[in-house]
Amino acid sequence: MNRLRRMMAESGEARERLERVVQLIAGNMVADVCSIYLRTPDDELELVATEGLRAEAVSSTRMKMDEGLVGQIAQTAESISIQDAPRHPAFSYRPETGEDPYHAFLGVPILRGGRVMGVLTVQNRTERVYGEEEIEALETIAMVLAEVVAADAAATNGAAPNALSGLAVRADRPTSLRGRILSDGLGLGTVRFHDPVVPPAKFFAEDQVAEEQRLLDAIEALKQAVDNMLASDSSALGGDPREVMETYRLLAEDPSWAEKLQEGVRNGLSAEASVDRVRREHRARLENARDPYLRDRLHDLEDLDNRLLRLLGGEESDKDAEIGGVLVARRMGPAELLEYRDAGLQAILLEETAASSHAAIVARALGVPTLGGMDGLTTMVEAGDPIIVDAETGVAHVRPDRSLRASYETRMALRSERQAEYRAMRDLPSETKDGVEITLMLNAGLRLDLDHLDTTGATGVGLFRTEFRFLVSDGLPRLDEQIGLYQRVIDTAAGRPILFRTVDLGGDKVLPNLNREREENPALGWRSIRFALDSRGLFRRQLRALIRAARGGPLSVMFPMVTTPREYFDARDLLLEEVEWSVGKGFARPSELKIGVMLETPALAYSLEEIADQTDFVSIGTNDLMQFFFAADRMSPRVSHRYDMVSRPAMRFLNTVAETCDRLNLPVSICGEATGEPLDALCLIGVGFRRLSMPASGIGPIKRMVRSVELETFQKDFFDLLNRSNGSFRKEVLALAQQHGVQLTDS
Ligand code: PEP
Ligand code: MG
């Protein structure tokens, strides 16, 4: 390491220095070959230095990003160690390099800030297996190389003839990336990474004893910070991330973690470099881990590594100091994201979707436009890159040109004008021109969402998704924790009604340590009320918590995904039993208990008569109902938008449901995501619904639509359209709405 450090610090041409580096590595690792490939602006990998391969190949051998073993490493950002490389299916033979006689191959990515800058390889004639230590050593060297190459390119700006001219340390071309919309909106700013980049100056420690102490101090400060977070239960989530934090604490106190970190420092690395090395190891293990529980723990460990790095760099407070920007991360936990709540983020981009679903809940609660599931994100952007996040259509424009930027600035100005307009409408009645009241309620899942009751003027919460609490902590919340959360929700609502929906787990909302069996069709499987009725302990605990949280006030509870009357009656009986049990234990009986059912399966639509006299209300979940109606998975982007709720069959069906509820005197509301879309909501009102529950962002646009429609005359023409048998229903309703002067769009 010391020799490497000296070599890197020497002056001279970058390529010559790299030549000396490969010689040094080959000598030290007893390798016959050592080569460095760097990424070019055209996304190819160019051989820039080699010991052992033919010198003529330098600068002329170029591989595509998906070509050969080197390409595979660059693409996956993972190290590869192979005993006999030529027999590997990904091996690509390049005669000009003269690599015929080499069998054993070890290649590691040269990574910086999550971006693959190149690949470092060693090869041996014999079919040998590289040991864990050798792999780690090469990864550490690659880490140092990344900084040197980046510093060199920055110093010469890629223009000087003696530098690695022409090689891309960053791509400067504009590019666009698609992602899944996790929280809607528009954002414009510069990229800031959630993962810190280790400054190159701190790769090696001058004084190992002092460095070890610095590391130990940082570990201590980290433990303290986690303890403080645990102690302050006043976090915006109302204690939701508590279990995550408790796991953190356990991990932070794990001696083997600290020991590993110290070992790196004892070997001459700086504290930052040692943490970064361990972090890479966790990342690599995470990437390969299948077991969901293990993945979660590795994810937590990686979070800890990141926190520690920030502490060492004195950056812990920078989040607050640095205001604005577009936050970019591979993945983020909800608790981590919450720390940015005062950071004024313009937008959030997440590379991976899986864990981001938890973060998405928080992102929505924070009201920050967020996209997830963006393959290759962290390798395509650099800190400081200008970026537009269009979380209305699901695209991020990296390094946009001036005209694109200008058009987004206009869109954003319009959007904020609209927001101001919606805020101004907050206290206006949600009433059609001819005086029909349309009740607008909020869909919520965290206490944070409840703040929108005040900002939007919603009349209450039409759907409180209680399982979010279960998902945020990846565990089963204790009784007192649940009581605490529900109480805070009830208190924040300050008298406005809340329809608590009991746990809806399974399908797309899987609890890693609970529902381990993989099902062929999870959306149709053991989920929701089916799962709850089979997990009595968990279900009863939740019902008990809800009753206790009501503290003698009113309580409304509904059950999700009910298919048969039997399921509904079983769930209802359990709730009633729990009420009696709680009363028997001296707790107050809810002053008014309303028990409802969610209509999410077509079958239940034809059983309403059987349950009507024991049901206080029905809430239609169109997200699930439409997925079953059209047999189209709501989670599959290929099919979820293929069928339209604004269509004759769906609207005729919903009209039947509205009429049935009306005939049975069953109060009914609708709470799928579609209720927040003006045209969809217009149709729902058209077929007879008067109570809609939606995400906070929908309330303004829907109220505006409602206030612009003369319902009686519109409805007459709407039914004429519905009864006809041809044409595109969506287009026809749109034309009809325009004809009636209904305000649907934002412009
Ligand atoms: C629905 O299915 O429409 C619904 C509101 O419930 P969720 O989206 O939580 O499944
Ligand atoms: Mg549902």
Side-chain angles (χ1 to χ4, degrees), residues 3 12 54-55 74 107 154 185 211 230 279 315 344 358 644:
R3 284 182 60 197
R54 285 199 193 123
E211 194 66 5
L230 265 167
R279 181 174 68 142
E315 289 178 28
H358 297 183
D644 194 352

Side-chain angles (χ1 to χ4, degrees), residues 259-272:
E259 182 52 39
K260 200 158 182 95
L261 294 171
Q262 277 168 272
E263 196 182 287
V265 173
R266 285 183 205 130
N267 285 335
L269 289 178
S270 69
E272 284 90 338

Side-chain angles (χ1 to χ4, degrees), residues 431-731:
E431 226 176 65
T432 64
K433 277 182 160 172
D434 45 345
V436 179
E437 191 190 335
I438 307 294
T439 305
L440 304 184
M441 293 172 298
L442 202 64
N443 289 349
L446 294 172
R447 195 184 60 79
L448 264 182
D449 291 329
L450 275 276
D451 293 344
H452 295 304
L453 276 176
D454 285 337
T455 54
T456 61
T459 51
V461 176
L463 165 69
F464 189 88
R465 292 178 160 109
T466 56
E467 67 281 355
F468 278 10
R469 172 63 188 83
F470 289 63
L471 291 172
V472 168
S473 65
D474 283 342
L476 297 177
R478 296 191 311 260
L479 180 68
D480 56 345
E481 283 178 315
Q482 286 193 64
I483 296 174
L485 170 74
Y486 306 144
Q487 279 182 356
R488 283 191 292 272
V489 169
I490 292 170
D491 292 346
T492 314
R496 285 164 288 198
I498 304 160
L499 306 189
F500 283 103
R501 193 256 306 270
T502 59
V503 276
D504 185 7
L505 293 168
D508 60 314
K509 290 174 277 198
V510 190
L511 256 193
N513 37 2
L514 208 81
N515 193 358
R516 277 168 174 271
E517 267 171 59
R518 277 204 58 79
E519 293 180 288
E520 285 290 326
N521 298 298
L524 305 176
W526 190 52
R527 56 170 289 206
S528 225
I529 197 68
R530 305 166 184 179
F531 164 81
L533 286 171
D534 289 352
S535 318
R536 299 260 158 151
L538 173 143
F539 194 31
R540 275 185 185 277
R541 198 192 315 168
Q542 178 174 43
L543 298 174
R544 197 169 294 181
L546 286 165
I547 296 161
R548 298 259 291 271
R551 290 160 288 172
L555 177 66
S556 299
V557 177
M558 61 185 180
F559 306 113
M561 265 277 293
V562 169
T563 309
T564 64
R566 185 73 265 144
E567 287 168 345
Y568 172 67
F569 291 133
D570 284 351
R572 186 175 183 275
D573 287 348
L574 279 180
L575 175 58
L576 293 174
E577 272 171 44
E578 279 302 323
V579 170
E580 293 317 318
W581 187 89
S582 293
V583 172
K585 291 274 172 207
F587 296 102
R589 182 186 293 278
S591 57
E592 187 186 21
L593 179 64
K594 288 197 173 161
I595 309 180
V597 67
M598 283 194 74
L599 197 158
E600 302 190 273
T601 65
L604 190 72
Y606 300 96
S607 297
L608 292 172
E609 250 138 281
E610 281 95 308
I611 61 170
D613 61 345
Q614 294 185 60
T615 307
D616 297 307
F617 64 94
V618 174
S619 174
I620 302 178
T622 49
N623 302 337
D624 275 313
L625 187 61
M626 288 299 117
Q627 96 166 330
F628 301 131
F629 186 76
F630 287 120
D633 187 346
R634 67 192 260 195
M635 294 303 289
S636 160
R638 284 218 183 89
V639 301
S640 61
H641 293 300
R642 192 172 290 225
Y643 308 99
D644 194 352
M645 192 181 82
V646 181
S647 62
R648 288 194 170 81
M651 284 301 151
R652 286 174 185 156
F653 174 59
L654 288 168
N655 179 229
T656 311
V657 178
E659 283 177 359
T660 310
C661 290
D662 200 36
R663 179 166 51 79
L664 296 170
N665 264 331
L666 258 176
V668 60
S669 59
I670 284 223
C671 68
E673 299 298 297
T675 48
E677 300 292 328
L679 187 70
D680 300 48
L682 177 65
C683 291
L684 294 172
I685 296 169
V687 294
F689 296 103
R690 298 291 174 260
R691 298 167 68 80
L692 310 178
S693 188
M694 64 197 69
S697 57
I699 304 253
I702 301 301
K703 193 186 268 190
R704 195 165 82 141
M705 179 275 285
V706 165
R707 291 175 55 81
S708 69
V709 66
E710 174 87 37
L711 192 56
E712 197 181 331
T713 52
F714 172 80
Q715 219 166 4
K716 198 176 140 303
D717 289 349
F718 178 79
F719 276 114
D720 282 350
L721 270 190
L722 195 60
N723 293 332
R724 255 193 259 150
S725 60
N726 59 1
S728 156
F729 191 63
R730 178 172 279 273
K731 277 196 195 138

Side-chain angles (χ1 to χ4, degrees), residues 390-435:
D390 181 346
E392 284 181 344
T393 61
V395 195
H397 301 284
V398 190
R399 299 175 289 272
D401 61 26
R402 231 187 293 145
S403 60
L404 191 61
R405 217 187 147 99
S407 85
Y408 268 92
E409 276 163 359
T410 314
R411 265 180 69 186
M412 284 175 71
L414 276 174
R415 198 178 157 94
S416 56
E417 264 175 43
R418 278 185 332 252
Q419 301 299 339
E421 199 187 313
Y422 297 146
R423 275 195 299 278
M425 282 178 13
R426 202 192 81 119
D427 298 320
L428 296 178
S430 172
E431 226 176 65
T432 64
K433 277 182 160 172
D434 45 345

Side-chain angles (χ1 to χ4, degrees), residues 363-375:
R364 268 194 292 274
L366 298 178
V368 181
T370 305
L371 298 177
M374 309 188 77
D375 284 347

Side-chain angles (χ1 to χ4, degrees), residues 309-371:
L309 272 177
R310 290 198 293 268
L311 275 171
L312 282 165
E315 289 178 28
E316 190 60 0
S317 57
D318 277 10
K319 269 184 211 151
D320 302 328
E322 191 182 340
I323 294 293
V326 172
L327 190 69
V328 169
R330 259 186 209 262
R331 63 172 85 78
M332 265 179 116
E336 285 175 293
L337 187 49
L338 257 180
E339 287 187 10
Y340 287 91
R341 63 181 172 274
D342 300 321
L345 293 178
Q346 305 298 318
I348 301 164
L349 298 175
L350 301 170
E351 184 157 326
E352 294 178 10
T353 344
S356 70
S357 61
H358 297 183
I361 300 164
V362 175
R364 268 194 292 274
L366 298 178
V368 181
T370 305
L371 298 177

